[in-house]
């Protein structure tokens, strides 16, 4: 059985932004945990200068600027201040699959609007609730916000100080896209091939390729 790959596309979604503008972001604030550093001379990574962290890394400009170090399988993404709380569209498809029982190559894997939300020294990947909506400022809108909040899919630690001029943030994009079974493939495989025990293996998952364009990014996650 060939390993599955999922192709992730992040594209600007101006229409969704226009339709959903004014909707409050219901993101739960996580409490920061401060750990005492062991040994001498080792500062926290988020205290390092932006340019120091991306030094000697390949720069891939696009909708989001990507910094890549292929030898270390390291992929960082720069988020500008105006890109926080801004709606984008996430779309996923399967490049390879089993070829049977509902799992086929080039099959779409879902799409949804999302935004990046900063909480302390982390950036959250927040999926917007679009299943239930109501007119802003109405009692119905307050009920929807309480009953059907946005979903926090993942969070990534900020790995450097903000850029001194652009004030942008730097995160490890692999923590968001390659650290969990986002489409729920393991659950689906266990259902159609029972009795089996498929599970997501974080240590063997990685972003294997990236392409950046002015209005979208493509990630190949395997």
């Amino acid at each position: 059985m060939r390993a599955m790959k999922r192709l992730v596309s992040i594209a600007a979604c101006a229409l969704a932004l226009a339709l959903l503008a004014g909707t409050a972001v219901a993101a739960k604030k996580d409490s920061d945990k401060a750990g005492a550093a062991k040994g001498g001379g080792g500062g926290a990574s988020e205290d390092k200068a932006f340019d120091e962290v991306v030094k000697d890394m390949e720069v891939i400009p696009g909708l989001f600027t990507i910094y890549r170090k292929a030898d270390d399988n390291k992929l960082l993404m720069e988020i500008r201040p105006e890109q926080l709380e801004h709606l984008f569209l996430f779309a996923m498809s399967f490049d390879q699959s089993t070829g049977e029982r509902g799992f086929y190559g080039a099959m779409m894997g879902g799409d949804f609007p999302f935004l990046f939300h900063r909480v302390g020294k982390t950036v959250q990947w927040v999926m917007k609730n679009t299943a239930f909506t109501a007119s802003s400022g109405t009692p119905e809108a307050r009920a929807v916000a309480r009953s059907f909040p946005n979903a926090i899919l993942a969070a990534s630690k900020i790995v450097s100080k903000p850029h001194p001029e652009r004030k942008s943030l730097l995160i490890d994009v692999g923590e968001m896209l390659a650290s969990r079974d986002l489409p729920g493939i393991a659950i689906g495989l266990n259902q159609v091939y029972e009795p089996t025990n498929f599970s997501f293996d974080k240590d063997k998952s990685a972003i294997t390729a990236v392409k950046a364009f002015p209005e979208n990014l493509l990630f190949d996650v395997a």
Side-chain angles (χ1 to χ4, degrees), residues 80-165:
R80 300 189 304 272
E82 65 271 19
Q83 291 176 319
L84 292 170
E85 312 300 336
H86 184 94
L87 278 181
F88 299 93
L89 179 66
F90 176 93
M92 178 167 46
S93 64
F94 297 91
D95 184 48
Q96 296 180 358
S97 193
T98 63
E100 62 177 5
R101 303 191 186 189
F103 293 94
Y104 304 101
M107 180 176 67
M108 294 302 297
D111 56 78
F112 52 82
F114 75 93
L115 54 83
F116 291 120
H117 175 68
R118 181 177 182 177
V119 178
K121 295 184 178 181
T122 63
V123 173
Q124 296 176 339
W125 182 22
V126 181
M127 180 176 69
K128 290 286 293 182
N129 163 44
T130 57
F132 301 92
T133 60
S135 299
S136 179
T138 63
E140 292 83 358
R142 292 192 293 272
V144 167
R146 293 191 183 99
S147 303
F148 308 101
N150 299 325
I152 301 174
L153 299 178
S156 180
K157 190 175 182 180
I158 298 172
V159 299
S160 76
K161 293 180 179 179
H163 190 277
E165 297 175 357

Side-chain angles (χ1 to χ4, degrees), residues 158-177:
I158 298 172
V159 299
S160 76
K161 293 180 179 179
H163 190 277
E165 297 175 357
R166 298 189 294 270
K167 307 302 179 184
S168 48
L169 307 177
L170 197 62
I171 66 168
D172 184 345
V173 70
E175 289 185 10
M176 290 189 174
L177 299 180

Side-chain angles (χ1 to χ4, degrees), residues 36-56:
K38 296 182 180 180
S45 60
E46 65 269 17
D47 292 331
K48 293 183 179 179
F50 189 104
D51 291 339
E52 179 184 352
V53 174
V54 301
K55 183 180 179 181
D56 299 327

Side-chain angles (χ1 to χ4, degrees), residues 15-83:
L15 178 59
L17 179 62
L19 293 176
L20 300 176
T23 304
V25 178
K28 183 179 179 181
K29 189 173 183 179
D30 295 333
S31 57
D32 294 329
K33 296 182 179 180
K38 296 182 180 180
S45 60
E46 65 269 17
D47 292 331
K48 293 183 179 179
F50 189 104
D51 291 339
E52 179 184 352
V53 174
V54 301
K55 183 180 179 181
D56 299 327
M57 299 184 74
E58 177 189 2
V59 181
I60 307 174
L63 176 63
F64 292 88
T65 300
I66 300 296
Y67 300 88
R68 178 172 60 183
K69 194 169 186 179
D71 293 343
D72 297 337
N73 193 27
K74 189 174 184 180
L75 202 67
L76 305 179
M77 185 170 74
E78 179 179 353
I79 303 177
R80 300 189 304 272
E82 65 271 19
Q83 291 176 319

